[in-house]
Amino acid sequence: MFPLGDPPAGKARYHRTVEVTGSSEHFRVSFRGRDIPLMLGKQTVGRTLDNKIHLVDQLVSRRHACFNVEERRVILEDLGSANGVYVDGARIAEAQVLTDGSHIVIGKQELVFRGSKPARRSDTATTDSRMGRATIDDLHQPQSDAGTERGDALRLLGLIAERLLEKGDIGRAETILSVHLKNHLRQMREGVASPPESTSLVGKYALALAKATKRVTWIDFLFEVYGLSSQVMSADTVEDLHSLLRELPPIKLKLLRHYIEQLESKSDKLLPAELFIVQRLEGLARVAAAQ
């Protein structure tokens, strides 16, 4: 499962920095049009109320990150969070210089760094004047179960990966998604149930990676996930697979056949549209066998 909250006890913490140059009085981060000033000193970011920037988000650790604000620079630190800090689509692993407008993702929240003067009139985040604390309360959702949290994490990573794919940065997109996708499959192999929405999301990004990378392993991955879930994939996915298989090396046919067998075993419960999808999958298996 994609980890949430603080790392388990006993696991080593890691420390990463990003340096930002500029004048301290103009440093701020923006969240959906609201400006949060970055004052001199340490500005911690996290899920608990004792942080200077409080994020109400289940994917944020209790103490997730820290802005160390100096006169002419800001150093952004990841305080060993479970889900990391992303800058312009990449999880930060070494020092790098931000420019005005760089995007910072913490949990599901996207903040934009600003190193210039704010506009004359702007909305601000809710602030506790006595504590100097800004609260970003974007969700106010009830506690979610593990399956929903896994889906939330994958949605976050998927948004980042989609932006990278649009820019042609296929390698980084695959790196961001692959660990989470493979962990999801590992859990399914161990007998952990995958909610239908999570299976669809995992399938969506596996197919996207197959299209972008032309790696047949992502097609095999897709069929194994659906075979373990016995869920009927969408008609659009099947049509995409028909087109894609002609461009790729041979797939592991046994995974596709196993998936078809799982669906046929419950054919009496399938709707007419779903039975048609099974027929299209059988046609796909014939195409694959002929390769």
Side-chain angles (χ1 to χ4, degrees), residues 15-40:
H15 180 84
R16 299 179 291 278
T17 66
V18 174
E19 292 192 8
V20 184
T21 58
S23 174
S24 64
E25 64 180 293
H26 299 151
F27 287 136
R28 68 195 192 283
V29 289
S30 296
F31 177 78
R32 297 185 182 177
R34 294 175 286 174
D35 284 336
I36 303 168
L38 297 177
M39 312 305 290
L40 285 173

Short mmCIF file of all heavy atoms in Angstrom, two decimals, residues 15-40:
data_model
loop_
_atom_site.label_atom_id
_atom_site.label_comp_id
_atom_site.label_asym_id
_atom_site.label_seq_id
_atom_site.Cartn_x
_atom_site.Cartn_y
_atom_site.Cartn_z
N HIS A 15 16.48 13.39 4.10
CA HIS A 15 16.46 14.84 4.19
C HIS A 15 16.84 15.40 2.84
O HIS A 15 17.86 15.06 2.28
CB HIS A 15 17.48 15.26 5.25
CG HIS A 15 17.58 16.74 5.45
ND1 HIS A 15 16.75 17.44 6.28
CD2 HIS A 15 18.43 17.65 4.93
CE1 HIS A 15 17.09 18.72 6.27
NE2 HIS A 15 18.10 18.88 5.46
N ARG A 16 15.99 16.24 2.27
CA ARG A 16 16.25 16.81 0.95
C ARG A 16 16.02 18.31 1.01
O ARG A 16 15.17 18.78 1.76
CB ARG A 16 15.32 16.19 -0.10
CG ARG A 16 15.52 14.69 -0.23
CD ARG A 16 14.56 14.12 -1.25
NE ARG A 16 13.18 14.15 -0.80
CZ ARG A 16 12.65 13.24 0.00
NH1 ARG A 16 13.36 12.23 0.42
NH2 ARG A 16 11.39 13.32 0.36
N THR A 17 16.76 19.09 0.25
CA THR A 17 16.61 20.54 0.28
C THR A 17 16.45 21.10 -1.11
O THR A 17 16.93 20.54 -2.08
CB THR A 17 17.82 21.24 0.94
OG1 THR A 17 18.95 21.03 0.12
CG2 THR A 17 18.06 20.70 2.33
N VAL A 18 15.74 22.22 -1.16
CA VAL A 18 15.63 23.00 -2.39
C VAL A 18 15.92 24.44 -2.02
O VAL A 18 15.27 25.00 -1.13
CB VAL A 18 14.22 22.90 -3.00
CG1 VAL A 18 14.11 23.85 -4.19
CG2 VAL A 18 13.95 21.48 -3.45
N GLU A 19 16.90 25.07 -2.65
CA GLU A 19 17.24 26.45 -2.34
C GLU A 19 16.50 27.39 -3.27
O GLU A 19 16.36 27.14 -4.46
CB GLU A 19 18.75 26.67 -2.48
CG GLU A 19 19.54 25.93 -1.41
CD GLU A 19 20.98 26.37 -1.38
OE1 GLU A 19 21.30 27.34 -2.08
OE2 GLU A 19 21.77 25.75 -0.65
N VAL A 20 16.02 28.50 -2.69
CA VAL A 20 15.29 29.51 -3.46
C VAL A 20 15.90 30.86 -3.15
O VAL A 20 16.05 31.23 -2.00
CB VAL A 20 13.80 29.52 -3.04
CG1 VAL A 20 13.03 30.48 -3.90
CG2 VAL A 20 13.21 28.13 -3.14
N THR A 21 16.26 31.63 -4.19
CA THR A 21 16.87 32.93 -3.97
C THR A 21 15.85 34.04 -4.12
O THR A 21 14.87 33.90 -4.85
CB THR A 21 18.02 33.16 -4.97
OG1 THR A 21 17.49 33.07 -6.29
CG2 THR A 21 19.11 32.13 -4.78
N GLY A 22 16.08 35.17 -3.45
CA GLY A 22 15.17 36.30 -3.55
C GLY A 22 15.12 37.10 -2.25
O GLY A 22 15.91 36.87 -1.36
N SER A 23 14.20 38.01 -2.15
CA SER A 23 14.06 38.86 -0.96
C SER A 23 12.99 38.30 -0.04
O SER A 23 11.89 38.01 -0.47
CB SER A 23 13.69 40.28 -1.38
OG SER A 23 13.42 41.07 -0.25
N SER A 24 13.30 38.16 1.26
CA SER A 24 12.39 37.48 2.18
C SER A 24 11.03 38.14 2.28
O SER A 24 10.03 37.47 2.45
CB SER A 24 13.03 37.41 3.57
OG SER A 24 13.21 38.70 4.11
N GLU A 25 10.96 39.47 2.17
CA GLU A 25 9.67 40.14 2.35
C GLU A 25 8.72 39.83 1.20
O GLU A 25 7.52 40.08 1.31
CB GLU A 25 9.88 41.65 2.46
CG GLU A 25 10.44 42.29 1.20
CD GLU A 25 10.61 43.79 1.37
OE1 GLU A 25 9.58 44.47 1.49
OE2 GLU A 25 11.76 44.25 1.40
N HIS A 26 9.22 39.28 0.11
CA HIS A 26 8.37 38.98 -1.02
C HIS A 26 8.11 37.49 -1.19
O HIS A 26 7.40 37.10 -2.10
CB HIS A 26 8.99 39.53 -2.32
CG HIS A 26 9.17 41.01 -2.29
ND1 HIS A 26 10.17 41.65 -3.00
CD2 HIS A 26 8.48 41.98 -1.63
CE1 HIS A 26 10.09 42.97 -2.76
NE2 HIS A 26 9.08 43.18 -1.95
N PHE A 27 8.69 36.67 -0.33
CA PHE A 27 8.49 35.24 -0.46
C PHE A 27 7.08 34.86 0.01
O PHE A 27 6.63 35.29 1.08
CB PHE A 27 9.51 34.46 0.38
CG PHE A 27 10.89 34.46 -0.18
CD1 PHE A 27 11.98 34.67 0.65
CD2 PHE A 27 11.11 34.24 -1.53
CE1 PHE A 27 13.27 34.65 0.14
CE2 PHE A 27 12.39 34.21 -2.05
CZ PHE A 27 13.48 34.43 -1.21
N ARG A 28 6.42 34.03 -0.77
CA ARG A 28 5.10 33.53 -0.38
C ARG A 28 4.77 32.31 -1.23
O ARG A 28 5.44 32.05 -2.23
CB ARG A 28 4.02 34.61 -0.56
CG ARG A 28 3.75 34.97 -2.01
CD ARG A 28 2.97 36.28 -2.11
NE ARG A 28 2.45 36.50 -3.46
CZ ARG A 28 3.16 36.92 -4.49
NH1 ARG A 28 4.46 37.15 -4.34
NH2 ARG A 28 2.60 37.10 -5.68
N VAL A 29 3.78 31.58 -0.80
CA VAL A 29 3.23 30.51 -1.63
C VAL A 29 1.75 30.81 -1.86
O VAL A 29 1.08 31.36 -0.98
CB VAL A 29 3.42 29.12 -1.00
CG1 VAL A 29 4.86 28.68 -1.04
CG2 VAL A 29 2.88 29.07 0.42
N SER A 30 1.28 30.46 -3.03
CA SER A 30 -0.12 30.70 -3.37
C SER A 30 -0.86 29.37 -3.46
O SER A 30 -0.32 28.39 -3.97
CB SER A 30 -0.24 31.42 -4.72
OG SER A 30 0.33 32.71 -4.63
N PHE A 31 -2.08 29.36 -2.95
CA PHE A 31 -2.93 28.18 -3.02
C PHE A 31 -4.30 28.61 -3.53
O PHE A 31 -5.05 29.28 -2.85
CB PHE A 31 -3.06 27.51 -1.65
CG PHE A 31 -3.98 26.33 -1.63
CD1 PHE A 31 -3.57 25.10 -2.12
CD2 PHE A 31 -5.27 26.45 -1.12
CE1 PHE A 31 -4.42 24.01 -2.10
CE2 PHE A 31 -6.13 25.37 -1.10
CZ PHE A 31 -5.70 24.14 -1.59
N ARG A 32 -4.60 28.27 -4.79
CA ARG A 32 -5.88 28.61 -5.41
C ARG A 32 -6.22 30.09 -5.24
O ARG A 32 -7.32 30.47 -4.86
CB ARG A 32 -7.00 27.74 -4.84
CG ARG A 32 -6.81 26.26 -5.15
CD ARG A 32 -7.96 25.43 -4.70
NE ARG A 32 -7.72 24.02 -4.98
CZ ARG A 32 -8.52 23.04 -4.65
NH1 ARG A 32 -9.65 23.30 -4.00
NH2 ARG A 32 -8.24 21.79 -4.95
N GLY A 33 -5.22 30.94 -5.51
CA GLY A 33 -5.44 32.37 -5.47
C GLY A 33 -5.25 33.00 -4.11
O GLY A 33 -5.29 34.23 -3.99
N ARG A 34 -5.01 32.20 -3.08
CA ARG A 34 -4.79 32.73 -1.73
C ARG A 34 -3.29 32.76 -1.44
O ARG A 34 -2.61 31.77 -1.66
CB ARG A 34 -5.50 31.86 -0.69
CG ARG A 34 -7.02 31.90 -0.80
CD ARG A 34 -7.65 30.92 0.16
NE ARG A 34 -7.49 29.55 -0.28
CZ ARG A 34 -7.85 28.48 0.44
NH1 ARG A 34 -8.35 28.65 1.64
NH2 ARG A 34 -7.69 27.27 -0.04
N ASP A 35 -2.80 33.88 -0.95
CA ASP A 35 -1.38 34.03 -0.67
C ASP A 35 -1.07 33.72 0.78
O ASP A 35 -1.75 34.19 1.70
CB ASP A 35 -0.91 35.45 -0.97
CG ASP A 35 -0.75 35.70 -2.47
OD1 ASP A 35 -0.55 34.71 -3.21
OD2 ASP A 35 -0.86 36.86 -2.90
N ILE A 36 -0.01 32.94 0.99
CA ILE A 36 0.48 32.62 2.33
C ILE A 36 1.89 33.19 2.44
O ILE A 36 2.80 32.72 1.76
CB ILE A 36 0.51 31.10 2.57
CG1 ILE A 36 -0.88 30.50 2.36
CG2 ILE A 36 1.02 30.78 3.98
CD1 ILE A 36 -0.88 28.99 2.29
N PRO A 37 2.10 34.23 3.24
CA PRO A 37 3.44 34.83 3.34
C PRO A 37 4.41 33.89 4.03
O PRO A 37 4.04 33.16 4.96
CB PRO A 37 3.19 36.09 4.18
CG PRO A 37 1.95 35.80 4.96
CD PRO A 37 1.10 34.92 4.09
N LEU A 38 5.64 33.88 3.58
CA LEU A 38 6.70 33.11 4.22
C LEU A 38 7.57 34.07 5.01
O LEU A 38 8.35 34.83 4.44
CB LEU A 38 7.52 32.36 3.16
CG LEU A 38 6.77 31.31 2.34
CD1 LEU A 38 7.67 30.71 1.28
CD2 LEU A 38 6.22 30.22 3.24
N MET A 39 7.42 34.07 6.32
CA MET A 39 8.13 34.99 7.18
C MET A 39 9.52 34.44 7.51
O MET A 39 9.80 33.26 7.33
CB MET A 39 7.34 35.21 8.48
CG MET A 39 5.86 35.51 8.26
SD MET A 39 5.57 36.92 7.16
CE MET A 39 6.12 38.24 8.23
N LEU A 40 10.40 35.32 7.99
CA LEU A 40 11.74 34.89 8.37
C LEU A 40 11.69 33.80 9.42
O LEU A 40 10.86 33.82 10.32
CB LEU A 40 12.54 36.08 8.91
CG LEU A 40 13.05 37.10 7.88
CD1 LEU A 40 13.66 38.29 8.60
CD2 LEU A 40 14.07 36.45 6.95
#
